[in-house]
């Protein structure tokens, strides 16, 4: 397959913003920051969701990469949780859309699609997971943003895995971040590479692109 025939290019989007980070690109190591994120060991179950949620956010949000947490947990509606399957290293970033009475802080209920994205069979029912809560996802915001673009551009595919590849300071006002995404649908698999170039002073997007690799 010719990668150039399946490339999505986005340039000069002055209206796309993210909250400005207090850390300059040359003042922290991206991957060291990632490794310092708090990890909570817990368990995940799965659900098909419902029409009504306590957060007022539908389970279909973020292409069904959604999750319910305990109603007394420190996590809040609309926040993101990174959930990792330590058995195979697969991860998913899920949006909190519902709350469950009686759940402890280390127990979550993922939508079925998010549960499957962790590389396990639904028959398993219960999965040991590692939970990395927001706001420690701040340094990965571009990876999550590109993830949403991938899900939009490749409808019908599930994102089974993604990882940060590099972060490069092109100039004083340009940073480039690269991420790889693994997609699957039935017997078909794709690997998509996403790049975003942005101004670290304003967090304004300069260019975006997705390409099959």
């Amino acid at each position: 397959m010719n990668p150039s025939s399946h490339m999505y290019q986005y340039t000069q989007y002055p209206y796309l913003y993210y909250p400005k980070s207090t850390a300059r690109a040359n003042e922290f190591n991206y991957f060291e920051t990632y490794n310092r994120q708090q990890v909570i060991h817990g368990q995940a179950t799965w659900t098909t969701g419902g029409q009504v949620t306590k957060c007022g956010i539908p389970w279909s949000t973020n292409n069904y990469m959604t999750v319910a947490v305990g109603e007394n947990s420190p996590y809040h509606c609309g926040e993101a949780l990174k959930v990792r399957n330590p058995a195979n290293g697969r991860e998913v970033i899920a949006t909190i859309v519902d709350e469950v009475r009686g759940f402890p802080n280390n127990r979550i209920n993922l939508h079925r699609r998010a549960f499957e994205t962790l590389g396990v069979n639904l028959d398993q029912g219960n999965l040991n997971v590692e939970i990395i809560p927001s706001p420690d996802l701040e340094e990965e915001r571009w990876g999550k943003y590109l993830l949403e673009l991938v899900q939009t551009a490749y409808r019908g595919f599930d994102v089974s895995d993604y990882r940060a590849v590099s972060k490069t300071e092109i100039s004083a006002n340009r940073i480039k971040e690269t991420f790889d995404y693994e997609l699957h649908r039935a017997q078909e698999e794709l690997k998509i590479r996403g790049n975003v170039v942005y101004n670290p002073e304003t967090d304004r997007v300069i260019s975006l692109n997705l390409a099959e690799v």
Side-chain angles (χ1 to χ4, degrees), residues 7-62:
M7 178 176 290
Y8 296 81
Q9 183 76 32
Y10 308 80
T11 58
Q12 298 303 322
Y13 278 66
Y15 50 85
L16 294 176
Y17 292 90
Y18 278 87
K20 183 177 179 181
S21 173
T22 56
R24 290 288 301 278
N26 58 357
E27 292 175 344
F28 65 89
N29 182 293
Y30 181 72
F31 297 102
E32 287 181 356
T33 301
Y34 173 88
N35 289 332
R36 288 198 301 268
Q37 290 175 346
Q38 180 185 9
V39 176
I40 298 169
H41 298 274
Q43 291 189 325
T45 50
W46 64 269
T47 177
T48 56
Q51 296 298 317
V52 179
T53 67
K54 292 184 178 179
C55 296
I57 304 172
W59 279 95
S60 58
T61 298
N62 196 23

Side-chain angles (χ1 to χ4, degrees), residues 59-73:
W59 279 95
S60 58
T61 298
N62 196 23
N63 201 31
Y64 293 95
M65 298 298 108
T66 43
V67 63
V69 299
E71 62 180 2
N72 294 318
S73 78

